Amino acid sequence: MWFRRILRLNKEPGSQVDSSSEIQRSYSASLSSAIFRQLNRLQIQASKELSGSRTGARSSHRRKPSTEFIEHRSYTAGDDIRYVDWRASARQDGVIIRQGELTKSVNIFILLDCSGSMHWGAPPKSVLQKKLASMLSYLALDYGDRLYLQPYGGRGNKALGPISGKGQFNSTARYLDQLNYSGEASLGQALTKLRTSVMNGGIVFILSDLLEADRLSEILGGLPTPAWMVNVVHLLHPQELAPVIRGSIELEDVETHKKVNFDLTARALAKYHQRVSDWQKRLDMACVEHHVSYTLVNTNASLEGEVLPNLRAKNILVNR
């Protein structure tokens, strides 16, 4: 399929596409105050089935002796008598202990596609990707979870994490602003590395244009529920969803720099639209097959007015 790689116009006067590193660095991962006001009322959705690495703010199935009542159990030697429910014990044959919930934190992994195709567009797709990563990082750190930022592709990018605590947020924003976008990337390799290096699972966000993810169903099969909760956020530029170029055009692959010529007639563009639609449906079905959340995001969309409400509608983000 000729849309497998995002192709840009070869440089022409008035072209809207500029992938220079100077332009890329002019964009920031910073968030508006309006976004923060919304984020302070939200949290990342997490299943109680997920393993927790330490005490945190999330609900779990684990119980502990507590004055905050969840359920009762029989007294065993060594239990603290402060947690004895004397009133309930008087109605039973034995001594009863009050149990509360032992809360947990979870691991949150944000996988960042840093291939050259994410560098494409005006503004580049990477701009919204970094803002989304910044937003998710804030939610994870503010809620006491363990955060991992893991780029794949690009040159010289190193992973960040595990980190925790709201005080680490500024360092994540600086980290995101310094990411390099170039060349090709492999989501399959990134998820294989994650699966083999992490034993207790967690929540995964994949922020990518998915241009090389031809075997997405096979790739996602390596992160099964309930140990993993995976959210695929598919980032596409408006010109990828509905290109407006016409005529005989020389296009250049932004990842391999291979050049090809196309005669972009109305018929060719209609065929392109159909292939893109079919591609999105296959990706969506691959996610459904593996109980993975799939969200298509137009990278020119408003983070506050469109992207956040969409993530809330899909219960990826929920009220605290």
Side-chain angles (χ1 to χ4, degrees), residues 31-40 135 303-305 308:
L31 302 172
S32 69
S33 57
I35 290 291
F36 282 114
R37 285 195 292 271
Q38 290 194 51
L39 295 180
N40 288 330
M135 180 187 76
L303 191 64
E304 179 184 357
L308 259 178

Side-chain angles (χ1 to χ4, degrees), residues 7-12 15 17 120 245 249-252:
L7 300 169
R8 68 180 178 194
L9 289 170
N10 215 11
K11 288 187 177 179
E12 299 175 352
S15 171
V17 178
W120 183 87
I245 53 178
I249 302 293
E250 181 184 65
L251 302 174
E252 179 183 355

Side-chain angles (χ1 to χ4, degrees), residues 211-260:
L211 296 182
E212 50 76 41
D214 293 333
R215 300 177 294 105
L216 186 61
S217 180
E218 178 184 336
I219 290 170
L220 294 175
L223 299 178
T225 57
W228 299 92
M229 284 184 65
V230 182
N231 301 284
V232 173
V233 182
H234 190 189
L235 301 167
L236 289 179
H237 192 275
Q239 289 292 330
E240 295 171 315
L241 293 166
V244 295
I245 53 178
R246 297 287 190 279
S248 297
I249 302 293
E250 181 184 65
L251 302 174
E252 179 183 355
D253 189 312
V254 298
E255 295 182 1
T256 66
H257 302 293
K258 179 181 178 181
K259 296 179 182 179
V260 291

Side-chain angles (χ1 to χ4, degrees), residues 29 31 129-139 169 173 176:
L31 302 172
Q129 181 204 51
K130 290 191 291 187
K131 288 184 180 296
L132 269 170
S134 183
M135 180 187 76
L136 294 169
S137 296
Y138 179 83
L139 289 171
F169 175 69
L176 291 168

